[in-house]
Every structure is written in structure tokens, then in C-alpha cells.
Amino acid sequence: MAKSTKKSPKNTKPLSGCKKAIDGLRECGAMFHARGWSVGTSSNFSVMVSQDPLELIVTASGKHKERLQRDDFVRIGADGKPTVDGQPNSSAETMLHVVLAGQPQVGAVLHTHSVWSTLLSDMYFADGGFEIEGYEMLKGLAGIQTHETSAWVEIFDNTQDIPRLADQVAQRLNDAEKPLTHGFLIRRHGLYTWGKDLDEARRHIEVFEFLFECVGRRLMLTSQRPNAVSVQ
Ligand SMILES: [Zn+2]
């Protein structure tokens, strides 16, 4: 779909009217930090505040996620740049949020840097990703109704060239045969997931992080009990 080039009316207070979205993202920051998924200034979060023209509220660069303040956010447009001069710099990974938010049915994008996502994204990078199969918690991913299924978690190589990575992700989102769904990993870096709104995206973070820990801990248990037939 062609991106709109419409400009929103000049708004000198870019965060006005976004208190609910901002407080929801601050709550995510505190919770993800408490769980060890967003320590220090790692991670970044966004909520769509306008679909046409596309505008997001995204975390400002370098802010500690446990203690996000109401002014630690930037309103950005479809070019990834602040809609109004004088705002802080947005996260270095802003263009990934823009690409994901440009998809139908995406109202929020969340990104975490957990230990398990960092380790698994390295371990399975050579395979391009890994399958998570048979867990009840898969039903927490939108559209999945049974544990008798599997979710493919694709892994992209890490890079500081975010526009290039955003292009790669856009290509996979638009793949006619097997498009990315629910989320993906970046090697030795972390998880990106999204949802139709912030509640759904937050649930996806919780579900993915739970499943990654299951996959990782199961590998550890299996390696400690190499002759075990089953860990069921
Ligand atoms: Zn990151």
C-alpha cells in the first residue's frame, strides 16, 4: 500500500493527548525491567497515535526503561523523524517500529533484550530461526487456538545499519508465501513483537519470553540428562 505523504497539522505539543499511551509504555518499561527483559537503557517501545498520516509515540534514545518519565518519548512520522523540532532523539531502532507499524492490524511494537532471546538467537542463527512446538502458552499469540501447533521464530543478523535491517524485515513481512508473524529475533540482541494494540503486544512479549525460557532451559536439562527419553 502506498504510504501517505500527508502532513499532520503543526502540533507544538507533540505528546499532548497521548498520556494513556505513554503511561502504558512506562508500565511496560517497569515490568520488563523487573523481569530482566529490559535492563539499563536497552529496549524500545512504540504506540501508533495516527494511522494516516502514520505517527508513533516512541521511546527517546538512552532512557532507562525502569524509570521512564512522561517526557521520555518522541512523536515521529513515517520517515522516522520527530514531527516537531526540539523533541529528544528517538531510539536508534526507530525505523523498525515504522516498518512494523505500517502493517495492517499493528497498533503497538515492543522490543526487549532478554538473556534467553539473546542466547537462542545466537544458537539458532545458522538455521535461520527455530520452531516452538506443542506448548500451551502458544495460545497467547494472536490467532492461535490450540497447543497442537508451532510458531517459527525467524532470526535476523544484528547490525547498526537499521535502515537496511528495516528493509529486510519489510521484505519478510510482505512475503507472499510465509510472511513473518507475531515477532522475530535479532542475533545476540533481542526480540521484536507487535500487536493490534499495546495490550496485545505486551502479551506477546510475555508469551515469547516465557517460551524462550522454556526452550533454553529444556536444552540445558536435556544436556544434563543426555540419556533421558523424554522430559514430559
Ligand atoms: Zn535493541
Side-chain angles (χ1 to χ4, degrees), residues 66-78:
E66 183 191 20
R67 303 186 294 269
L68 286 170
Q69 304 299 307
R70 286 215 172 110
D71 56 0
D72 288 342
F73 295 84
V74 190
R75 189 182 188 114
I76 56 127

Side-chain angles (χ1 to χ4, degrees), residues 95 160-168:
M95 280 316 287
Q160 303 307 313
D161 186 349
I162 299 301
R164 193 166 141 261
L165 179 57
D167 280 348
Q168 291 171 349

Side-chain angles (χ1 to χ4, degrees), residues 71-136:
D71 56 0
D72 288 342
F73 295 84
V74 190
R75 189 182 188 114
I76 56 127
D79 56 1
K81 301 210 168 85
T83 55
V84 179
D85 291 343
Q87 296 188 83
N89 289 331
S90 63
S91 158
E93 295 170 31
T94 294
M95 280 316 287
L96 284 170
H97 288 257
V98 170
V99 162
L100 293 166
Q103 297 293 302
Q105 300 294 315
V106 176
V109 178
L110 298 173
H111 169 51
T112 46
H113 286 203
S114 70
V115 171
W116 288 113
S117 67
T118 301
L119 291 174
L120 291 174
S121 63
D122 195 20
M123 188 165 173
Y124 289 106
F125 177 69
D127 301 324
F130 58 98
E131 209 82 56
I132 303 178
E133 195 172 356
Y135 288 101
E136 179 71 11

